[in-house]
Amino acid sequence: MVGVLYSSCTYSQKLVLDNHLAVGLSGGWGSSSGAANTASSGYFTPALFANYDKLLSASLFVNYRLSPFLTVGLTGDNVHFSDWSYPGDAQTYEGANSTIKSLRPSLRVFLPYRRIGLRNRFKPFLEVFQVNSSISTSLAYLPFGEKESFEETTSKAFNFGYGARLGLELALTNRLGFQLTYGVTKHRLKSKLYDDTSVIFTKTAMGMFYRGLLTKKLF
């Protein structure tokens, strides 16, 4: 009889869904990929984004849980590229830096049963997202070696992209948690200052989040 009551209580607990809104901050680092050169009008020129050596980012995110397996979110992301270097002798974009500011609506899917691991604190997930971005680039030198001021060689453009990432949430308390992610993002590019038509970069990010309970109901 005791065993039946215990099983019934355990099952009832599993039916309870706590819809919550999570807000968090994260920082990341990574690298861009691609060919060292781009082809434009039949000519090969050094690529800008593929030859950046440093990528740093800061993000603010909000996630809302729809079900035990599904979460929707919105992330404000700031990714900064710097330390341009070319494997050859070209110095076309020496001193350049670029910043991508974006809003990313996302859909996050957790693994079956949503929680695995020690004391049910670990929650692996897969996330896909679309990117709406503002891309700005400043050059110290124009192509062909003309020295100009940073203000006269700044390019800004609005564009779109997409990506996916794998992640792991770790619940530290009922409200506070830690998040680790690794993802790939692709942005389309268009500018008069460089010939790159897209940039693909990978990024590892770590952050903290706080969950606020909105509703609690049987599921």
Side-chain angles (χ1 to χ4, degrees):
M1 185 68 176
V2 174
V4 173
L5 290 174
Y6 176 79
S7 299
S8 177
C9 290
T10 303
Y11 180 71
S12 297
Q13 289 177 357
K14 288 182 179 179
L15 288 177
V16 174
L17 168 65
D18 54 335
N19 292 94
H20 66 250
L21 193 69
V23 180
L25 293 169
S26 67
W29 65 94
S31 61
S32 51
S33 61
N37 297 291
T38 62
S40 176
S41 302
Y43 296 95
F44 285 93
T45 58
L48 175 63
F49 282 86
N51 291 308
Y52 277 124
D53 291 331
K54 183 182 290 185
L55 184 160
L56 297 174
S57 74
S59 304
L60 170 65
F61 58 90
V62 178
N63 294 322
Y64 176 67
R65 186 198 297 178
L66 298 175
S67 77
F69 311 105
L70 194 63
T71 295
V72 293
L74 183 65
T75 300
D77 202 19
N78 188 310
V79 182
H80 185 71
F81 299 81
S82 60
D83 291 357
W84 188 88
S85 64
Y86 185 70
D89 297 328
Q91 299 179 339
T92 309
Y93 300 115
E94 184 178 359
N97 64 85
S98 299
T99 300
I100 299 179
K101 297 180 179 181
S102 61
L103 282 177
R104 302 197 322 250
S106 63
L107 184 66
R108 180 177 296 186
V109 180
F110 290 92
L111 289 187
Y113 304 113
R114 192 165 50 91
R115 295 184 175 119
I116 63 172
L118 181 64
R119 300 179 66 181
N120 293 330
R121 291 181 180 269
F122 294 94
K123 296 187 291 180
F125 62 84
L126 169 66
E127 183 178 281
V128 292
F129 53 85
Q130 189 261 334
V131 183
N132 306 285
S133 60
S134 170
I135 304 173
S136 62
T137 296
S138 296
L139 303 184
Y141 293 87
L142 282 171
F144 311 111
E146 282 187 50
K147 187 174 181 179
E148 302 286 347
S149 66
F150 278 98
E151 290 76 17
E152 294 178 347
T153 57
T154 298
S155 168
K156 291 186 179 180
F158 293 94
N159 231 313
F160 303 95
Y162 55 89
R165 61 180 184 167
L166 294 173
L168 180 69
E169 286 186 1
L170 170 61
L172 302 177
T173 68
N174 288 337
R175 293 288 178 261
L176 191 64
F178 171 81
Q179 176 178 287
L180 174 65
T181 63
Y182 176 80
V184 180
T185 305
K186 180 177 181 178
H187 285 269
R188 297 176 182 175
L189 301 172
K190 186 177 181 180
S191 173
K192 295 180 179 179
L193 294 186
Y194 49 84
D195 294 329
D196 301 45
T197 57
S198 66
V199 55
I200 299 176
F201 61 87
T202 58
K203 186 178 70 171
T204 300
M206 296 186 296
M208 302 291 293
F209 62 87
Y210 179 83
R211 298 184 296 193
L213 184 65
L214 297 180
T215 61
K216 196 167 188 177
K217 60 183 181 180
L218 291 179
F219 179 82

